[in-house]
Amino acid sequence: MKAKPSQRLVLVGGGHTHVQVLRRLVMHPEPSRRVTLVIKDPTAVYSGMVPGHVAGQYSAHDISIDLVPLARRAGATVVLSPATRVDAQARAVEFGDGRPLLPWDLCSINIGSTVSGLSILGVSAHVVPTRPIDDLEPRLLERIRVSAASLLRVVVVGGGAAGCELAFAIETRMRSEGRMAHIVLLAEHGPRVRGGRRGAMLVTQRLKARGIEVRTGARVVGAESAMLRLSDDSLLPADLTLWATGAAAHRLGADSGLPIDDRGFIRTDAQLQVVGHSNLFAAGDCAVLEGGPVVPRAGVYAVRAGPILVHNLLVASDARERKSFRPQKNFLALLNTCDGRAVATRGSWAAEGPLFFRLKDWIDRSFMEKFQVLDEQGNPRVAFDAGMPSMDEEMVCGGCAAKLADEPLRAALSLLPAPPDDPDVVAGVDARDDVAVLRHQGGLLIQTVDAFPAFSGDAFLVGRVAAVNALNDVYAKGAMPRFALAVVEVPQAHGASTLAQALAGVRSVTDSLGVALVGGHTTVGEGLKIGLSVTGVPDGEHPLWPTRGAQAGMDLVLTRPLGTGVLLHAHMAGRACGSWVAALHRHLVTSNQADVTALRDFTVGAATDVTGFGLARHLLTMLASASERAIIHAERVPLLPGARTLLCSGERSSFHEQNRIEAPVLTVAPPLQRDPIVEALFDPQTAGGMLVAVPGSQSHAVVESLRAAGCDDAAVVGMIVEGGRPGPTRVEVLPWPSEQRLG
């Protein structure tokens, strides 16, 4: 239906049908519609190509649709958290990660299916099921790798097309790797493929020709280590069991109280509308047509339902204009025998040969290329972009990349008169620090405020990151945050739900860290902006860490990787891989509390959290005096996944150039002048890690302590030396010399 002002469309799942909805939105943007894609994993795997991938015919990229850049190109917000319930009465999606309800005006479910029979005794513990399909190949290969058997006994359970194709795939893979294997296809009623008796005969002949044993007349009733118990009381040895039985429904339909059939699949009418719910749809393997023809759980039906769902969700102005989905009884099915041939069937007709594999390969690749925004290296695909409307290249970054540059900020502050003397102000505006330190009733208080505009349409995520970002200012002093106030600006449309999402995100962080959110203020504006004022106290008798104080003989330790600025910018433009974005989100919602604990027993000469001004500018503020000079060893600087690729491609945050420090203040050795790692020093960070100066004799132990606390990428990235030769150079970026002492 045509979008009402700011209509909220939520797509639950990233199956073959929903990717077509997203592509339609890429081709025909609808700014008035707020679209959210709710997914557990950033990548959707095309099931029809998985056997070819197992056999080595396709790469992981060939068979995958990266949902995150596709959704961003469609203007959709991505929520990387699985839905646990879709409440049709409240019109909201529920989650299990502490998020509040996500409201919708229109919703569609396309979550696929799982496999049946996993409740059989021992099966879930001892077999490799074909679902989740995303990581089938690595799970399978790991089982093969750890097996010490000279003759690997492989059993594929399931006589449908999936089981037959996987049996062929395993045989091809084992042969290509020089491994000996005895492969059994356990199919109680024999191969069950399309094409009638001739189709089954052709598949059986190909299995026999490849040395794959077909065992019929029994089913699995129990599984043990290296053994299957069958219904005829026999035992079947199995070093590796692949479970490719029929489809089973996910729990979402039943848990949501939606109308389901006796197998748990969501019942829909011919318009793909969930029975009894006019604004809720379902399609693909998770759904079943009420009163419609009984069709197999095959990807072809999900693909062909796509245009109908696109029309009914995005085009039809009301229910009277919705179209009906009429699945055809017969279709061309192509079964990959994974040796350059395929079995083709339609109705009772069947044939096989290399021509049919070439046809299948062309069909599958053509389908996938419609949705693959990025290539295997993470660069935009020219073929996808051809004819597509481009996204706004002038977009301004959110997060800590949306701030006034250092020089204008200093200029503005210089126009203010000196603050009046106050004996209770230990460090105020003149300290030019991220926090103020105040005396209060014989003790000290640490006060900070931080705010930024949203970098994502996921208000819950933005709230979490805003809280982490503000609390990190207090942690950078070695102090403990105690109380917080929030200031939130929300849009007029759906302002209450946006506020609830954002504050729930804030609370999920503050509550877990023992910080009380005690109040706040709201305003209405063009979009979500959120900030926190935080009050902290010293950590017991431990002194506060100075921002300035890095002296010669100290090493520089970076606790967490860089790259949030370039990744957030690329994500906004649909140029960041989903796996990169998932890693970025994990980084953004991790506070520096553990870093502080790990550093507590060491001498910290200077410390700062690395935020919007980038590592290089923060480093300048750490130097104790003009007589010190910092050396950064570029190769030692850790980067978030994808950051190097994006920097190499020329991607930059909108605040990047304002952070740049030119010669002679910062000089770069000639071998590194084109190295993107140098550009990372100017990348604006949101909720970044800490940069600390510690005595060189302690740096190795500091890194070990940080890594033990969960800072896996902690590294010594440089050192402080005497100024030496005269001149204005304060920071040098040099190659890493192997003889250096850094830990």
Side-chain angles (χ1 to χ4, degrees):
M1 58 179 58
K2 290 184 179 178
K4 299 174 183 177
S6 198
Q7 184 193 62
R8 297 165 297 186
L9 168 61
V10 174
L11 304 175
V12 178
H16 301 347
T17 314
H18 278 174
V19 295
Q20 296 177 71
V21 176
L22 293 173
R23 179 177 168 83
R24 170 60 162 70
L25 288 168
V26 176
M27 298 174 68
H28 303 284
E30 297 191 20
S32 64
R33 198 188 299 267
R34 293 176 56 183
V35 182
T36 301
L37 177 67
V38 175
I39 48 177
K40 177 183 178 182
D41 300 302
T43 302
V45 171
Y46 184 41
S47 56
M49 298 176 76
V50 168
H53 176 48
V54 172
Q57 294 173 317
Y58 300 115
S59 69
H61 180 269
D62 290 335
I63 69 169
S64 302
I65 298 172
D66 197 332
L67 298 167
V68 174
L70 179 63
R72 287 303 305 134
R73 288 294 302 272
T77 295
V78 180
V79 173
L80 287 169
S81 180
T84 57
R85 189 169 180 270
V86 176
D87 190 331
Q89 303 302 323
R91 292 191 178 182
V93 177
E94 294 183 15
F95 300 88
D97 62 356
R99 292 171 178 266
L101 297 176
L102 177 65
W104 48 264
D105 302 307
L106 202 60
C107 181
S108 178
I109 304 170
N110 181 213
I111 57 172
S113 60
T114 183
V115 291
S116 61
L118 295 180
S119 61
I120 295 173
L121 182 65
V123 164
S124 60
H126 297 291
V127 310
V128 178
T130 55
R131 296 290 194 278
I133 204 166
D134 306 57
D135 62 348
L136 171 62
E137 194 251 6
R139 285 184 287 125
L140 177 61
L141 294 187
E142 176 62 16
R143 289 287 188 95
I144 294 174
R145 186 188 66 81
V146 300
S147 174
S150 57
L151 177 67
L152 191 69
R153 299 166 299 181
V154 181
V155 177
V156 180
V157 180
C164 293
E165 283 192 318
L166 283 171
F168 287 125
I170 288 290
E171 191 277 333
T172 299
R173 187 65 174 252
M174 299 299 288
R175 180 161 35 86
S176 68
E177 295 184 357
R179 292 286 302 270
M180 298 289 291
H182 178 244
I183 302 171
V184 175
L185 177 67
L186 182 63
E188 184 177 8
H189 303 292
R192 292 176 289 105
V193 297
R194 302 182 73 84
R197 294 175 61 184
R198 177 164 172 77
M201 180 191 71
L202 288 175
V203 171
T204 301
Q205 288 176 346
R206 297 302 302 167
L207 290 166
K208 183 178 180 180
R210 300 275 288 279
I212 299 170
E213 177 187 348
V214 179
R215 182 160 178 177
T216 62
R219 66 184 186 280
V220 175
V221 295
E224 303 171 9
S225 178
M227 191 71 68
L228 297 175
R229 293 187 176 276
L230 305 185
S231 58
D232 61 3
D233 295 329
S234 64
L235 299 176
L236 181 59
D239 301 307
L240 169 64
T241 300
L242 268 173
W243 198 260
T245 54
H250 285 294
R251 290 286 312 169
L252 182 69
D255 290 345
S256 301
L258 299 177
I260 56 176
D261 69 2
D262 56 359
R263 298 177 61 198
F265 294 103
I266 301 170
R267 292 160 45 212
T268 72
D269 62 19
Q271 288 77 42
L272 306 179
Q273 176 182 294
V274 175
V275 172
H277 300 286
S278 61
N279 284 359
L280 179 60
F281 294 77
D285 280 3
C286 68
V288 60
L289 285 175
E290 180 95 321
V294 178
V295 297
R297 302 282 153 186
V300 64
Y301 291 113
V303 170
R304 295 189 178 183
I308 303 300
L309 185 66
V310 166
H311 177 87
N312 292 346
L313 283 178
L314 305 180
V315 179
S317 59
D318 57 44
R320 292 170 298 180
E321 295 184 10
R322 291 175 181 169
K323 295 181 178 180
S324 295
F325 176 52
R326 297 181 176 86
Q328 73 272 36
K329 180 179 179 181
N330 294 318
F331 60 89
L332 179 65
L334 297 163
L335 189 150
N336 185 5
T337 56
C338 301
D339 58 353
R341 306 169 72 89
V343 176
T345 62
R346 181 179 174 86
S348 60
W349 172 84
E352 69 90 25
L355 173 64
F356 299 115
F357 173 74
R358 291 196 294 271
L359 176 60
K360 175 178 172 57
D361 180 66
W362 177 78
I363 292 172
D364 289 345
R365 289 185 185 274
S366 298
F367 175 77
M368 294 297 287
E369 287 175 357
K370 294 178 181 179
F371 311 102
Q372 292 175 322
V373 179
L374 307 176
D375 65 19
E376 202 152 2
Q377 286 71 46
N379 299 310
R381 287 183 62 248
V382 175
F384 181 88
D385 288 334
M388 292 288 191
S390 60
M391 295 191 74
D392 182 7
E393 293 295 328
E394 301 301 320
M395 65 180 65
V396 177
C397 292
C400 286
K403 65 194 308 176
L404 190 64
D406 189 34
E407 282 78 7
L409 176 60
R410 291 174 185 270
L413 293 177
S414 70
L415 299 177
L416 297 177
D421 290 336
D422 188 327
D424 289 330
V425 177
V426 179
V429 174
D430 54 339
R432 291 161 64 177
D433 202 346
D434 286 338
V435 302
V437 181
L438 313 172
R439 290 189 181 90
H440 180 68
Q441 295 184 351
L444 295 177
L445 293 178
I446 296 88
Q447 192 74 42
T448 187
V449 62
D450 214 319
F452 54 61
F455 55 84
S456 166
D458 182 354
F460 180 79
L461 173 66
V462 173
R464 294 180 73 188
V465 177
V468 167
N469 190 67
L471 298 180
N472 279 353
D473 283 346
V474 176
Y475 287 131
K477 304 303 290 184
M480 293 294 109
R482 289 289 294 112
F483 307 101
L485 296 166
V487 178
V488 187
E489 179 176 298
V490 296
Q492 184 72 51
H494 310 301
S497 63
T498 301
L499 178 63
Q501 293 278 334
L503 290 180
V506 171
R507 282 284 305 274
S508 73
V509 172
T510 56
D511 290 0
S512 67
L513 295 174
V515 179
L517 182 65
V518 295
H521 180 73
T522 60
T523 61
V524 174
E526 293 184 358
L528 175 62
K529 299 181 180 68
I530 184 165
L532 279 81
S533 171
V534 182
T535 301
V537 296
D539 185 9
E541 299 301 317
H542 296 286
L544 298 179
W545 295 333
T547 302
R548 183 173 287 102
Q551 301 177 7
M554 290 185 172
D555 284 347
L556 294 167
V557 176
L558 182 62
T559 65
R560 298 179 190 271
L562 304 179
T564 65
V566 68
L567 282 161
L568 285 172
H569 187 267
H571 176 45
M572 291 173 67
R575 293 191 291 265
C577 296
S579 60
W580 301 348
V581 174
L584 169 67
H585 287 182
R586 291 191 294 271
H587 172 88
L588 290 172
V589 299
T590 303
S591 80
N592 291 336
Q593 183 192 49
D595 311 39
V596 174
T597 302
L599 291 165
R600 182 57 67 209
D601 295 330
F602 298 96
T603 302
V604 176
T608 182
D609 57 329
V610 183
T611 57
F613 289 122
L615 185 145
R617 287 191 177 274
H618 279 288
L619 176 55
L620 285 177
T621 68
M622 294 175 66
L623 298 176
S625 68
S627 64
E628 272 83 24
R629 180 165 47 91
I631 293 175
I632 291 291
H633 293 291
E635 299 95 324
R636 304 277 295 184
V637 176
L639 296 182
L640 286 164
R644 174 180 283 275
T645 298
L646 291 169
L647 290 168
C648 283
S649 71
E651 190 87 35
R652 300 290 186 271
S653 164
S654 58
F655 197 69
H656 186 99
E657 289 305 314
Q658 298 179 78
N659 280 347
R660 186 178 297 281
I661 303 174
E662 301 287 359
V665 177
L666 182 145
T667 62
V668 180
L672 296 174
Q673 288 179 355
R674 295 184 179 275
D675 194 321
I677 196 73
V678 177
E679 294 300 315
L681 303 180
F682 313 125
D683 188 56
Q685 303 304 292
T686 298
M690 295 177 62
L691 182 65
V692 296
V694 299
S697 59
Q698 297 182 10
S699 61
H700 183 72
V702 165
V703 170
E704 287 187 339
S705 179
L706 285 165
R707 291 180 178 175
C711 303
D712 297 336
D713 296 292
V716 178
V717 297
M719 62 175 63
I720 308 299
V721 297
E722 292 287 352
R725 60 182 181 276
T729 298
R730 305 299 309 283
V731 178
E732 287 186 273
V733 183
L734 301 176
W736 166 246
S738 58
E739 68 274 11
Q740 285 285 1
R741 60 174 167 79
L742 300 186

